[in-house]
Amino acid sequence: YHNNLFCLAGIRLAPKEKLEVPVLFMPTEMKIYKAVVAIHVMRENGENWPYKVAAGSSTDLKRNVTVAENGETRGIVWIYPINGTPEAPQQKSVVIRCQARQRVEQRVELLLIGVIMPGATAQPDAGNSAEVDSDESSNTLEVTDGSSATLEFLYELQYQSDEIRSQLESLVGMQLVEKEWDTESRIVTLIFNVVFAPSKPMRDEATIIIQCTAGGLWKFPLVFIATEPEVDDVINIEAVGLNKESIVGFKLTSQTR
C-alpha cells in the first residue's frame, strides 16, 4: 500500500449500481501493512439530504456522515480497513517416506527468509496478530537473537481437506526441536522432528503454516508417502491328491475395534 490519497472523484453512480474499487498490494518486506479505503458519496446536484443527525445518534452514524452548516447531511462515508500480510514464495515440497506398518522420524529444516527485526515496524493490534487458524494443533514459539530482541511465531500443520486430516492426524506428529535467529541475514531457522507411522499405503499432502506476529507468512508443503508393507507370512498348502481339496487355516487380527 502507498501512503497517499487515491481519489475516485467525479464517478457518477445510478441507484443500485455497484462500484468496484481496485486495491493493489505489492509488499517489499515481511511486515504488517495497513491501509484504509474511504468512499465519500454526495448528491450530483450538490444538494443536501434533509436528514439531520440527532445528538443522541450512535458514534458509527456520526462518523459515517458529513454534516453541512445547517445540520443536514452533506455526504455519506464508508470506511474499509485493509490489513495486508505478505506471503513468502512457495517452497519446494519435503517428502517423508515410510513403509506401511513402520515408523520414521525425519528432521525438517525450515528457513524463514526476510524476517523484520523487532522495532522496525509497528506491532499489530491485539486480535489481528494471528491469522493462522488457532486450534489444538496451533503452537506459539519465541525466537531470540541472544539479546533482548524477541520474535514471536505461530505454527500449525494444515491439511488440504477434512478427509485428509482424518487420515493423517493420528499418523503424523510434529515437534519443534531447534530454533536459531541470524540477525545479519534476517533468517530464522526452525528445525522440526516429524514422525510418520502409516498403517496402510497412501500418499497425502499437508502444509506447515508459519506466521510471524510482526508480519509475514511462510508455507512449507509436506508430502507423506507410505509404501507397501512387508509380507506378513507365506501360506503353504500341501495337496492330498488329485481332485481333492486341501484346507489350511490362519488368523487375521484387526488393528481397530
Side-chain angles (χ1 to χ4, degrees), residues 191-206:
I191 299 178
F192 291 88
N193 184 48
V194 179
V195 178
F196 183 36
S199 58
K200 61 182 180 180
M202 66 175 64
R203 179 189 175 93
D204 286 318
E205 297 182 6

Side-chain angles (χ1 to χ4, degrees), residues 29 112-117 181-188:
E29 293 183 315
L112 311 184
I113 301 175
V115 178
I116 294 296
M117 302 298 106
W181 177 11
D182 188 342
T183 54
E184 293 185 2
S185 63
R186 296 200 307 176
I187 296 178
V188 171

Side-chain angles (χ1 to χ4, degrees):
Y1 307 124
H2 300 282
N3 294 324
N4 54 16
L5 181 62
F6 179 63
C7 185
L8 300 175
I11 294 181
R12 186 174 182 270
L13 290 178
K16 302 297 183 179
E17 187 176 354
K18 295 182 180 180
L19 172 65
E20 293 186 359
V21 180
V23 177
L24 178 64
F25 183 38
M26 298 179 62
T28 57
E29 293 183 315
M30 299 293 282
K31 65 180 182 181
I32 290 179
Y33 292 83
K34 294 188 176 184
V36 173
V37 173
I39 300 176
H40 188 199
V41 64
M42 294 179 292
R43 281 186 168 180
E44 187 179 19
N45 57 12
E47 296 180 359
N48 300 330
W49 283 279
Y51 179 80
K52 294 184 179 181
V53 179
S57 300
S58 65
T59 304
D60 290 338
L61 179 59
K62 294 179 181 178
R63 184 172 60 244
N64 291 346
V65 298
T66 54
V67 182
E69 294 181 357
N70 61 358
E72 294 181 343
T73 299
R74 175 67 176 168
I76 306 174
V77 180
W78 288 271
I79 300 176
Y80 300 91
I82 300 177
N83 295 332
T85 300
E87 182 176 328
Q90 184 76 14
Q91 304 295 315
K92 291 183 178 180
S93 298
V94 177
V95 178
I96 300 177
R97 188 185 304 269
C98 181
Q99 190 177 27
R101 298 206 298 266
Q102 300 295 322
R103 183 179 184 274
V104 67
E105 293 190 22
Q106 183 170 326
R107 290 167 65 91
V108 177
E109 182 176 295
L110 308 180
L111 300 181
L112 311 184
I113 301 175
V115 178
I116 294 296
M117 302 298 106
T121 182
Q123 291 298 320
D125 296 336
N128 292 334
S129 60
E131 296 184 7
V132 177
D133 295 336
S134 58
D135 57 18
E136 294 180 357
S137 61
S138 298
N139 294 278
T140 303
L141 63 96
E142 290 185 349
V143 181
T144 61
D145 66 344
S147 63
S148 59
T150 303
L151 289 172
E152 188 178 61
F153 293 89
L154 302 174
Y155 68 91
E156 177 189 6
L157 186 61
Q158 288 188 350
Y159 304 92
Q160 293 181 332
S161 66
D162 291 338
E163 182 181 357
I164 295 178
R165 175 186 291 273
S166 63
Q167 292 178 358
L168 282 181
E169 200 166 33
S170 61
L171 308 177
V172 175
M174 185 178 70
Q175 181 182 10
L176 179 70
V177 292
E178 291 185 28
K179 52 188 178 181
E180 184 180 348
W181 177 11
D182 188 342
T183 54
E184 293 185 2
S185 63
R186 296 200 307 176
I187 296 178
V188 171
T189 302
L190 303 179
I191 299 178
F192 291 88
N193 184 48
V194 179
V195 178
F196 183 36
S199 58
K200 61 182 180 180
M202 66 175 64
R203 179 189 175 93
D204 286 318
E205 297 182 6
T207 304
I208 298 178
I209 309 291
I210 301 177
Q211 182 170 5
C212 181
T213 55
L217 187 69
W218 294 262
K219 295 182 179 181
F220 301 90
L222 301 178
V223 179
F224 295 94
I225 300 176
T227 58
E228 292 288 339
E230 294 181 357
V231 175
D232 293 283
D233 200 358
V234 176
I235 301 174
N236 294 316
I237 303 178
E238 185 176 346
V240 296
L242 293 176
N243 298 320
K244 292 184 179 180
E245 293 182 352
S246 295
I247 299 175
V248 63
F250 57 94
K251 294 181 179 180
L252 297 178
T253 303
S254 174
Q255 295 185 2
T256 64
R257 290 176 181 262

